[in-house]
Amino acid sequence: MTPDPTAGSAGDRSISRKTLLKAALVATAAPLLAGGGVALARDAGSAGVPLAPTPDCDDGDGPTHDQMEGPYFKPDSPLRTSLVTAGTPGVPLTVSGYVFGRACRPVPGVLLDFWQADTNGAYDMSGYAFRGHQFTDRSGAFTLTTVVAGLYPGRTRHIHVKARAPGSGILTTQLYFPGEPRNNTDTLYDPALLMNVRSVGSGKEGTFDFVLDVAQDPTDPTDPPTDPPTGPGGNWAVGTLYNAGDRVTYGGGTYRCLQAHTALTGWEPPNVPALWERG
């Protein structure tokens, strides 16, 4: 049964995610719920209490955002939810979860760009192995099929991700695995970014809920605004289904669609090079 992203667990309905993380960091150096397991935003309650945005690992000692992206990011990753094939070596891993705004309401259409090392700890810099982006569905959910990331000198196991909600800025962060010995020595490791991971057969399943700094009115049941922009002219329009190869005009420029999608506010052609190229 698919969990309700807005339902809270018993006893935790008035606890914010920030409170859970703060208490857990003091007690155990890992964000745990009272009943066990890593704290998830979906468990933080539905009483309209604002959630803290997902930490971006800025420890206050310098420009850690650039460090968190690391040297292995490549733009223009392929659109896909699976980074593996039937013959890909490694321990199978499925990561799923939701993306929420500050009012603990799911956000559809969020761009999630994942990249990671293979099972041997190597990044593919000549191609796009173990790289891919996707968009959250109407319920704000996502699923990624991959393998457990390998180790390389100086780092614990982790998965990189960039998240961008329509019309918002980009969050660059990493997801970590619980119980890893190198978690204690990796200077970039942040326990607030632990996935909840369990073994299933010969593989593993992980869950993690992102909370973006997206303002939401908890009393408003509608999705994020989808009204067409009133600024630059052109024939690009919110709500239109575009196919690869379609051409539009926007802000005095001409753009060609790279991937089929339904346009949302915030996905204007200049803002999403993964969807549109100029020319």
Side-chain angles (χ1 to χ4, degrees):
M1 178 177 179
T2 301
D4 180 353
T6 60
S9 58
D12 290 322
R13 296 184 182 278
S14 62
I15 303 175
S16 73
R17 184 170 183 272
K18 183 176 182 179
T19 301
L20 284 169
L21 295 180
K22 182 182 294 185
L25 285 170
V26 172
T28 67
L32 302 177
L33 289 170
V38 177
L40 297 174
R42 73 193 75 162
D43 299 317
S46 56
V49 178
L51 297 180
T54 297
D56 58 10
C57 297
D58 188 339
D59 58 9
D61 295 329
T64 56
H65 293 292
D66 289 339
Q67 293 177 12
M68 293 310 300
E69 178 181 282
Y72 302 117
F73 174 71
K74 288 180 63 176
D76 303 320
S77 68
L79 175 66
R80 58 187 178 190
T81 59
S82 176
L83 307 184
V84 297
T85 63
T88 301
V91 177
L93 171 68
T94 300
V95 180
S96 61
Y98 296 88
V99 178
F100 296 95
R102 293 296 297 272
C104 201
R105 292 179 52 242
V107 184
V110 174
L111 172 63
L112 295 170
D113 195 350
F114 294 96
W115 72 101
Q116 67 170 82
D118 64 16
T119 189
N120 297 314
Y123 287 85
D124 177 17
M125 298 306 294
S126 61
Y128 286 91
F130 292 103
R131 300 174 187 275
H133 73 272
Q134 59 179 281
F135 297 91
T136 56
D137 65 17
R138 292 187 61 83
S139 67
F142 71 92
T143 299
L144 177 72
T145 303
T146 183
V147 298
V148 174
L151 295 168
Y152 57 92
R155 293 305 317 274
T156 190
R157 299 186 197 275
H158 60 280
I159 298 174
H160 296 268
V161 59
K162 288 179 179 286
R164 181 177 184 176
S168 74
I170 298 174
L171 166 71
T172 301
T173 190
Q174 300 179 30
L175 305 181
Y176 293 96
F177 295 78
E180 289 291 328
R182 290 196 189 180
N183 287 352
N184 296 323
T185 58
D186 188 330
T187 58
L188 294 179
Y189 167 73
D190 185 339
L193 296 169
L194 278 170
M195 293 183 289
N196 199 343
V197 180
R198 64 172 184 164
S199 296
V200 179
S202 60
K204 295 183 179 292
E205 290 183 352
T207 53
F208 188 86
D209 294 340
F210 295 92
V211 180
L212 302 183
D213 195 7
V214 176
Q216 295 175 308
D217 179 356
T219 65
D220 183 359
T222 61
D223 287 335
T226 56
D227 293 331
T230 58
N235 61 6
W236 179 88
V238 168
T240 302
L241 173 61
Y242 292 107
N243 296 308
D246 289 349
R247 294 186 181 279
V248 299
T249 57
Y250 183 85
T254 301
Y255 297 86
R256 184 175 70 87
C257 180
L258 299 176
Q259 301 180 51
H261 66 283
T262 299
L264 295 175
T265 298
W267 292 5
E268 294 84 355
N271 296 336
V272 280
L275 299 178
W276 296 99
E277 70 175 0
R278 195 174 182 109

